[in-house]
Amino acid sequence: MSVSLFEPFRLGDLSLANRIVMAPLTRRRATHGTNAANALMAEHYRQRASAGLIIAEASQISQQGQGYAFTPGIYSPEQIAGWREVTDAVHGAGGHIVLQLWHVGRVSHVSLQPGGGAPVAPSAIATTKQVAIETGFVDCSAPRALGLDEIPRIVDDYRKAARNAKEAGFDGVEIHCANGYLIDEFLRDGSNERTDAYGGAPQNRARSGLEVADAVLEAWEPSRVGARISPVSPVHDMADSDPQTVFGYFVGKLAEKKLGFLHVIEGATQGPRDVAPFDYLALRKSFPGAYIANNAYTLELAEETLASGRADLIAFGRPFIANPDLVERLRRRSPLAEVDRETIYAAGARGYTDYPTLTA
């Protein structure tokens, strides 16, 4: 049976207008000083509310979880209020929106950390990549390994953030387990050399992510919770000796918890889809919830993927930056506007809320 990208989809008890998902896109427009969402961000998301589902940009669960200047958080009253303005705008336009919960782990700089401390990670292994601080891009600071007594505190930060997201009016949450950030760092043996209960065997490396899922499920029904993974993406110097085994185990355990959706970056983040061999269909078959496919999807590839049953929903990232009416452009098979790369992470409305629609 043919499945259209533009037909409705039932995600748990949410009725999505179509199968197009707006992927989370870090844009660094949060209010300086509070890292709270604001009216400009509310307008940005409102413009894109025709997506069946919006996954709002990654939002740090604590100051320790921040890796870039001016990214929004979800741990203070000001941040909850700011996100409420966003969710009200999206709901007022008929859309649905969930929040991505984020701890960057080692992908950070001392200037962003509480008291100027070192970023934290499963092991004291640095990444060679850079992050943006208030004065520009700098090398990531060397991390320190988390103590056993610190991990439950981070899990509790996720628990609080999940509750805060509900207070802010979101329709659900996505746990960020991808792109070389903290949970991904625990999962992959290239960044996790621990010899305790959180390192070594795949079951141990998956432990922190599964504990986070349990904490988030204290605040949300399972159908309103998802997880994002990037099994073979080398972003932020990530690697694993056997990704099929560790991610197969992790996804199987998430399936047992009846999570509502699995959001998978297939291939390299913002890079080639065939960067390394991986059986994504095996994940699809092991996970009874909705499978969201992500990475360099064109309209043609999206249609073919849905028709073959390899995914339920298709996530588009950068095309949503320059095309607030992406759904309509895809429906009409109209040309897509090009992204102004100089304004992706800049301040203000330029390159954020000023991209025209077809009708404009």
Side-chain angles (χ1 to χ4, degrees):
M1 183 178 68
S2 178
V3 178
S4 169
L5 192 61
F6 308 102
E7 71 181 43
F9 181 79
R10 189 80 174 174
L11 182 63
D13 60 351
L14 293 176
S15 296
L16 309 186
N18 53 64
R19 293 171 181 255
I20 296 170
V21 175
M22 178 178 166
L25 295 157
T26 294
R27 303 300 304 279
R28 299 182 59 218
R29 257 64 171 201
T31 300
H32 297 190
T34 63
N35 289 327
N38 48 50
L40 182 68
M41 292 171 62
E43 175 61 12
H44 171 78
Y45 285 109
R46 184 201 64 77
Q47 291 174 347
R48 291 153 180 81
S50 58
L53 180 69
I54 293 174
I55 304 175
E57 63 205 90
S59 300
Q60 57 263 14
I61 59 168
S62 64
Q63 185 184 348
Q64 185 195 69
Q66 184 175 7
Y68 308 85
F70 314 132
T71 56
I74 186 62
Y75 56 89
S76 75
E78 294 88 354
Q79 292 163 0
I80 296 170
W83 277 122
R84 169 61 79 171
E85 189 172 358
V86 173
T87 60
D88 284 349
V90 171
H91 293 151
H96 292 100
I97 183 169
V98 302
L99 183 66
Q100 189 181 65
L101 305 180
W102 193 28
H103 191 304
V104 299
R106 69 183 184 178
V107 187
S108 187
H109 186 264
V110 292
S111 66
L112 299 168
Q113 292 292 304
V120 298
S123 302
I125 302 172
T127 173
T128 62
K129 302 306 178 183
Q130 292 192 319
V131 290
I133 62 173
E134 292 194 18
T135 55
F137 281 88
V138 295
D139 292 341
C140 289
S141 300
R144 63 173 180 83
L146 282 162
L148 269 176
D149 62 327
E150 295 179 282
I151 296 173
R153 298 176 203 165
I154 292 176
V155 172
D156 192 50
D157 286 338
Y158 276 99
R159 180 182 291 107
K160 294 172 183 174
R163 292 172 181 158
N164 290 345
K166 178 169 278 191
E167 185 179 346
F170 284 96
D171 296 303
V173 293
E174 176 179 274
I175 305 167
H176 199 343
C177 310
N179 292 349
Y181 299 120
L182 185 64
I183 295 175
D184 197 25
E185 290 165 16
F186 270 101
L187 283 164
R188 301 211 237 177
D189 57 18
S191 50
N192 183 350
E193 296 180 346
R194 300 177 76 97
T195 57
D196 57 20
Y198 291 89
Q203 296 88 332
N204 288 351
R205 284 182 277 132
R207 188 184 306 274
S208 67
L210 297 175
E211 289 177 347
V212 167
D214 286 337
V216 170
L217 289 170
E218 292 177 23
W220 289 92
E221 289 295 316
S223 67
R224 299 294 190 99
V225 177
R228 190 189 208 199
I229 60 172
S230 56
V232 297
S233 179
V235 66
H236 295 132
D237 301 321
M238 295 300 291
D240 188 80
S241 61
D242 186 4
Q244 198 78 51
T245 296
V246 67
F247 283 94
Y249 174 81
F250 184 55
V251 169
K253 288 298 182 181
L254 295 178
E256 291 178 9
K257 300 178 190 299
K258 298 180 168 42
L259 262 63
F261 62 92
L262 181 69
H263 182 186
V264 184
I265 299 172
E266 300 170 343
T269 305
Q270 297 182 24
R273 293 176 50 79
D274 59 354
V275 67
F278 192 88
D279 186 358
Y280 298 103
L281 189 57
L283 298 184
R284 163 75 160 148
K285 290 178 178 177
S286 70
F287 188 80
Y291 183 102
I292 304 175
N294 183 319
N295 200 24
Y297 270 84
T298 62
L299 175 59
E300 292 72 25
L301 181 58
E303 290 177 329
E304 192 274 327
T305 299
L306 290 177
S308 69
R310 297 198 306 271
D312 299 297
L313 301 157
I314 306 294
F316 296 87
R318 294 202 171 199
F320 260 116
I321 292 178
N323 300 274
D325 57 345
L326 180 65
V327 174
E328 187 60 23
R329 287 177 186 255
L330 293 175
R331 192 192 310 274
R332 295 189 192 185
R333 299 182 180 268
S334 299
L336 301 185
E338 292 295 321
V339 173
D340 177 3
R341 294 185 177 274
E342 291 186 3
T343 60
I344 291 178
Y345 304 115
R350 183 167 169 259
Y352 191 61
T353 56
D354 62 348
Y355 284 107
T357 62
L358 284 171
T359 53

